[in-house]
Amino acid sequence: MNRAFKPNLVNSVTTSCSSFSLPRQHKLPLFHSHTNTKAHFVAKLQTCKDLASATSTHSNIVKFGFSNDTFSTNHLINCYLRLFRIDNAQKLFDEMPQRNVVSWTSLIAGYVDLGQPNMALCLFRQMQGTFVLPNEFTFATLINACSILVNLEIGRRLHALVEVSGLQSNLVACSSLVDMYGKCNHVVEARLIFDSMCTRNVVSWTSMITTYSQNAQGHTALQLFKEFNHSGLGRPNHFMLSSAINTCASLGSLGDGKITHGVVIRLGHDASDVIASALVDMYAKCGCVNYSAKVFRRIPIPSVIPYTSMIVGAAKYGLGTLSLQLFQEMVVRRIKPNDVTFVGVLHACSHSGLVDTGLELLNSMNGKYGVIPDAKHYNCVADMLGRVGRIEEAYELAKSVEVEGDACAMLWGTILSASRLYGRLDIALEASNRILESNQEVAGAYVTLVNAYALAGDWENAHNLRSEMKHTGVYKEPGSSWIEVKEST
């Protein structure tokens, strides 16, 4: 087909450009007329809330001859991206006669925001073949893509480019690097960048605190949070507060959790849905379900996140009836449950002996709520069946599910524990073999099977298995628990 007749996006928006004229006495100079018109169109694009409005403004931009104007097209691209029309934005971008760093960065950010970080990195490789140089926002967006992908190799290459570009002390670029190294579990490198920053803001502090928290260094995270509060550098925002609360939850530190809750109230963030959800989760993990309930009931319009936190917290402490009541309340309020919500409610059924209710929920997940059950849900149901002695049903369920790796070990570990408890050595033996095949939780499988033989009085096999463990060097670390005593864990 002749390329001259192939329509492009600009030409397809409008098929005709009607002439526009004013009475002679009202005509303005051409330069001022175009400037005002362009500003008017840009203002409209910034406030567009639907596709019809965007395409209408797009049509007017073409009519007034701004289709080749880089500034106007950049705003058009951003408008389409806000409306999740990445296809329109990409086509506009492809047809631009002259692109600048804003054009490239906008589209790269669009792909990252829409969950396509690999496309963003591909686009940057194209950008490197042009004369347009990336700025700090380009690098920050690309480093964020690496954070999402947990791609340390490309992240380090981008770090090198940041250094070469002279942005090694730039606040925006360095904050994103701290976050990227944290997501990739390289805490030391994240801290080196944080310490090298000439200036830091609440974003960079939050990234470093979150890095420590997500890498099992909760005490250091809280120490840094306290350091920020005493530094006079500003007030913590809801992201930092949420990270601090999550750290307290992971440590089981009720004292620090209450102190952080006090900071939340003092700064007026207690109405935040994100923070309220974190507080509900923190109090539940610290064993204070009543506190969780009080925080939850103060949320004006709770979303699925605080509901799920409350359901999971109640289930953990055997309050199955409360979990089910909250789940029904969600359904009545037309709040759609997610996969974690179902893990919580199935866990509640398991620990409360509500087997029929749990099975009914499992069977209704996909058809009624649009949530496809996965290994976590089947594990809850297998545990629920095993607790009441319905070993055969649990065994058949496990056989019917295709799982691998950690998920396989988790599911068959549940079957192994239940069969040991009820003296089903045949099922226990197969369950342990499945776990050994998955090469996960091997030591736990050996110990549970030894206990199963011992419980059944088969001391010979128990002894042989112990000897095999010793010979092959399989060792199970002893379990441990921790509690908080006088603000020490």
Side-chain angles (χ1 to χ4, degrees):
M1 183 181 289
N2 193 335
R3 292 178 61 88
F5 294 100
K6 186 177 179 180
N8 62 23
L9 184 65
V10 171
N11 292 332
S12 64
V13 172
T14 178
T15 55
S16 63
C17 294
S18 56
S19 59
F20 179 81
S21 61
L22 290 170
R24 186 179 298 274
Q25 63 269 29
H26 292 295
K27 283 189 177 180
L28 296 172
L30 184 62
F31 174 79
H32 293 293
S33 175
H34 272 213
T35 303
N36 291 338
T37 306
K38 189 200 295 190
H40 171 70
F41 290 148
V42 167
K44 287 194 73 175
L45 287 171
Q46 289 172 336
T47 56
C48 273
K49 295 191 183 340
D50 55 73
L51 186 60
S53 177
T55 51
S56 173
T57 308
H58 188 171
S59 175
N60 285 325
I61 284 173
V62 175
K63 284 181 181 180
F64 280 86
F66 296 121
S67 57
N68 291 330
D69 177 67
T70 303
F71 180 77
S72 302
T73 308
N74 285 343
H75 278 282
L76 262 174
I77 287 171
N78 281 314
C79 178
Y80 281 126
L81 290 172
R82 279 201 319 274
L83 299 171
F84 308 107
R85 296 305 299 261
I86 191 79
D87 50 341
N88 291 41
Q90 178 69 65
K91 199 166 186 182
L92 263 175
F93 178 84
D94 291 340
E95 293 166 359
M96 289 179 74
Q98 192 171 8
R99 304 167 190 141
N100 60 15
V101 67
V102 177
S103 317
W104 286 96
T105 304
S106 295
L107 194 58
I108 288 169
Y111 278 114
V112 173
D113 291 341
L114 291 174
Q116 299 182 52
N118 279 315
M119 281 296 297
L121 295 173
C122 287
L123 196 61
F124 177 63
R125 281 192 283 272
Q126 294 176 35
M127 182 183 180
Q128 288 180 294
T130 70
F131 292 104
V132 180
L133 296 176
N135 60 18
E136 65 268 34
F137 300 106
T138 317
F139 281 123
T141 306
L142 292 162
I143 293 163
N144 184 31
C146 293
S147 297
I148 295 167
L149 295 168
V150 196
N151 193 322
L152 182 63
E153 183 184 350
I154 297 179
R156 280 184 168 152
R157 288 182 198 168
L158 289 167
H159 185 182
L161 288 173
V162 167
E163 297 275 344
V164 169
S165 303
L167 298 169
Q168 60 269 29
S169 298
N170 181 269
L171 180 63
V172 176
C174 287
S175 295
S176 61
L177 281 169
V178 170
D179 179 66
M180 184 273 294
Y181 280 119
K183 292 282 198 322
C184 295
N185 302 326
H186 282 250
V187 182
V188 174
E189 289 175 81
R191 185 63 196 241
L192 284 172
I193 293 167
F194 180 78
D195 289 339
S196 70
M197 294 173 70
C198 299
T199 56
R200 307 181 191 117
N201 62 5
V202 68
V203 176
S204 46
W205 281 86
T206 301
S207 295
M208 196 64 239
I209 290 167
T210 305
T211 292
Y212 281 124
S213 178
Q214 291 176 345
N215 287 277
Q217 298 186 37
H219 291 293
T220 311
L222 289 180
Q223 186 59 43
L224 199 63
F225 175 65
K226 291 171 185 175
E227 187 181 324
F228 175 82
N229 283 327
H230 292 119
S231 66
L233 295 171
R235 292 185 169 191
N237 60 16
H238 65 285
F239 294 110
M240 182 183 286
L241 290 167
S242 178
S243 182
I245 294 163
N246 290 333
T247 303
C248 296
S250 64
L251 291 172
S253 180
L254 182 61
D256 285 321
K258 285 182 174 179
I259 291 169
T260 310
H261 190 180
V263 175
V264 167
I265 294 170
R266 190 168 69 250
L267 296 177
H269 286 293
D270 47 320
S272 166
D273 196 45
V274 174
I275 289 181
S277 301
L279 284 167
V280 168
D281 180 62
M282 184 272 294
Y283 281 123
K285 285 180 177 174
C286 292
C288 298
V289 183
N290 288 337
Y291 275 59
S292 289
K294 285 179 182 178
V295 173
F296 176 77
R297 289 305 175 193
R298 287 177 183 168
I299 304 173
I301 307 174
S303 67
V304 64
I305 299 172
Y307 260 111
T308 299
S309 297
M310 194 65 222
I311 287 169
V312 171
K316 184 179 178 181
Y317 290 96
L319 302 174
T321 305
L322 176 58
S323 289
L324 288 169
Q325 285 174 351
L326 288 164
F327 180 77
Q328 291 302 323
E329 189 179 304
M330 279 183 71
V331 174
V332 170
R333 297 180 74 165
R334 299 183 182 278
I335 299 171
K336 185 182 177 182
N338 59 25
D339 60 323
V340 184
T341 313
F342 277 104
V343 169
V345 77
L346 288 171
H347 187 69
C349 292
S350 175
H351 285 260
S352 303
L354 303 170
V355 180
D356 293 334
T357 304
L359 290 171
E360 185 181 331
L361 282 166
L362 178 71
N363 294 328
S364 66
M365 279 178 63
N366 191 11
K368 191 173 180 181
Y369 301 102
V371 178
I372 299 172
D374 61 22
K376 299 188 296 292
H377 305 107
Y378 290 119
N379 187 61
C380 285
V381 174
D383 178 63
M384 178 178 67
L385 292 167
R387 283 173 182 270
V388 295
R390 292 163 67 169
I391 308 298
E392 286 289 347
E393 290 178 67
Y395 174 58
E396 292 299 326
L397 176 69
K399 286 199 300 182
S400 68
V401 179
E402 293 184 9
V403 287
E404 296 177 354
D406 289 339
C408 177
M410 180 175 65
L411 180 59
W412 284 102
T414 300
I415 302 298
L416 177 57
S417 297
S419 56
R420 177 193 68 83
L421 189 64
Y422 285 93
R424 290 296 304 270
L425 283 175
D426 55 333
I427 295 178
L429 187 60
E430 181 172 348
S432 62
N433 287 331
R434 296 266 191 156
I435 296 169
L436 294 175
E437 286 171 9
S438 72
N439 203 29
Q440 306 287 332
E441 301 294 334
V442 172
Y446 269 117
V447 171
T448 307
L449 189 56
V450 166
N451 293 335
Y453 281 130
L455 195 65
D458 190 347
W459 296 104
E460 183 180 350
N461 275 324
H463 175 72
N464 291 338
L465 205 54
R466 281 285 185 190
S467 298
E468 186 181 337
M469 286 178 67
K470 189 174 181 179
H471 178 71
T472 54
V474 175
Y475 170 76
K476 185 180 184 300
E477 291 186 11
S480 61
S481 301
W482 65 90
I483 59 171
E484 185 182 25
V485 179
K486 294 183 179 179
E487 298 185 5
S488 295
T489 304

